[in-house]
Amino acid sequence: MDSQLDTIRVGKKEVWAYVTACITSFNSGCKELTIRARGSAISKAVDVVNSLERSFLRKVEVKEIKISSDELDDGNKKVWKSAIEIKIAVS
Amino acid sequence: MDSQLDTIRVGKKEVWAYVTACITSFNSGCKELTIRARGSAISKAVDVVNSLERSFLRKVEVKEIKISSDELDDGNKKVWKSAIEIKIAVS
């Protein structure tokens, strides 16, 4: 694991689970984290960042937000799924 | 309505309804649009931007993405709700 640049993938767990993961990562020396989510988990990823900003003792800065759409092969048809990538950092 | 700067609020309707609203706005001379959503509609807002990028004939550029959390008064307790603002432009 690269302690300087890490990625947290937001999925079906509760928001606090990802917030805890971010805090653990930052406390173990990581300076920058990328939070990724796809589909309906996008809203949860934003919740994670906001909860972290409110609850974490150190100042969290949102560095960059990117959105994209991934093409998935769902059996015989192609589906597009939206994705978000939020890069956060602590000083 | 200011034709240069407009806002589309994404809520409970289908994605295509908002895509159509964006296209109508751009075709009527608007150059820049802000797409806003709160809570679980955040994922839909990202879907709207991605669908627009894929389906609209003109090139759509994502100018800026901002996330925030709004404090709402839900009866006797305060709740935080995440929000997103995506600024898009056509050339």
Side-chain angles (χ1 to χ4, degrees), chain B:
Chain B
M1 192 184 94
D2 183 354
S3 69
Q4 293 303 303
L5 190 73
D6 216 3
T7 301
I8 293 195
R9 203 171 285 270
V10 174
K12 289 189 191 300
K13 287 184 214 165
E14 299 279 333
V15 171
W16 61 261
Y18 302 106
V19 174
T20 313
C22 292
I23 293 178
T24 310
S25 228
F26 282 137
N27 282 343
S28 68
C30 175
K31 296 264 177 246
E32 218 173 89
L33 269 181
T34 303
I35 295 171
R36 270 177 215 264
R38 266 213 301 227
S40 58
I42 291 177
S43 315
K44 204 184 280 176
V46 178
D47 282 339
V48 170
V49 175
N50 284 328
S51 303
L52 192 67
E53 279 181 328
R54 282 199 304 276
S55 61
F56 197 34
L57 292 173
R58 287 150 76 189
K59 181 144 177 51
V60 179
E61 197 192 342
V62 177
K63 288 281 196 184
E64 195 187 11
I65 307 175
K66 275 193 284 193
I67 56 173
S68 58
S69 66
D70 300 344
E71 200 178 350
L72 299 178
D73 227 327
D74 182 22
N76 46 359
K77 64 171 184 191
K78 281 178 181 168
V79 280
W80 291 94
K81 201 142 199 190
S82 296
I84 199 166
E85 240 186 79
I86 307 172
K87 202 178 275 181
I88 52 173
V90 285
S91 42

